[in-house]
Amino acid sequence: KRSVHLLGPGSTAVVIGAGGLGQMAIQVLKALSGATTVVAVDTSEDKLKIATSMGADEALISGDGAVTRIKDMTKGQGAELVLDLVGITPTLAMAAQVARVLGHLTIVGVGSAALPVNFSSPPHECAVASPFWGSIPELIDVIELAKAGKIRMLVEHFTLDEAANAYQLLHDGKIQGRAVITPHA
């Protein structure tokens, strides 16, 4: 929400990681600033298809081709907002490459990498944040978006006995949205 003022007609937001959090980010971006072009980036074609169904305007396989396409889309300027929902070395490097001068780069993913920072990366005056949680008013805003039907979450349910399997599926990138584990079926 701290970046909404950057978004509007002609702007671009990049969501790196189209899993459960990325799917939510895409929907929130569209709900808060429907005029921005939302680009989803992931290594999974299946997750990119879901990202498109959730409102992403473009879905790109992660890598150099995605960086080139985002730079082309933004006339070489980069995106106003980049959300890295993964936080590993390749995604953080990509985030720094596709952000723009005076843009925002927000690291949400808790991967074990560090953002490469030097005089030219990320771009000059690009604000970098790594929030762990929003405020209570922001949570209320998200609940209101859900109540209004503007955002939805794909959920796969597992019993407590299936927890180890659910975690393995998450690790393998085979959960389409979020995994929810409950004591009973």
Side-chain angles (χ1 to χ4, degrees), residues 97-110:
Q97 286 179 293
V98 301
R100 78 181 306 140
V101 170
L102 295 172
H104 284 183
L105 192 167
T106 302
I107 304 166
V108 179
V110 292

Side-chain angles (χ1 to χ4, degrees), residues 82-101:
V82 180
L83 300 174
D84 183 345
L85 298 158
V86 184
I88 60 174
T89 300
T91 62
L92 288 170
M94 176 185 288
Q97 286 179 293
V98 301
R100 78 181 306 140
V101 170

Side-chain angles (χ1 to χ4, degrees), residues 38-59:
V38 176
V39 180
V41 179
D42 203 286
T43 58
S44 165
E45 289 278 357
D46 290 339
K47 288 182 181 168
L48 290 173
K49 286 178 188 166
I50 294 169
T52 302
S53 75
M54 297 282 185
D57 298 293
E58 186 140 358

Side-chain angles (χ1 to χ4, degrees), residues 1-5 24 28-29 31-32 81 83 104 106 108 129-147 151:
K1 195 166 182 185
R2 77 180 185 95
S3 305
V4 170
H5 69 280
M24 189 61 61
V28 169
L29 284 166
L32 296 180
L81 172 61
L83 300 174
H104 284 183
T106 302
V108 179
S130 57
F132 189 70
W133 185 250
S135 65
I136 296 297
E138 289 170 335
L139 178 59
I140 292 167
D141 290 344
V142 170
I143 291 169
E144 291 302 319
L145 288 172
K147 286 166 90 176
I151 59 174

Side-chain angles (χ1 to χ4, degrees), residues 19-20 23 47 156 158 166 169-170 172-179:
Q23 293 165 18
K47 288 182 181 168
E156 294 184 44
F158 297 88
L169 291 170
L170 279 168
D172 295 341
K174 297 193 175 172
I175 298 292
Q176 296 302 312
R178 302 306 283 163

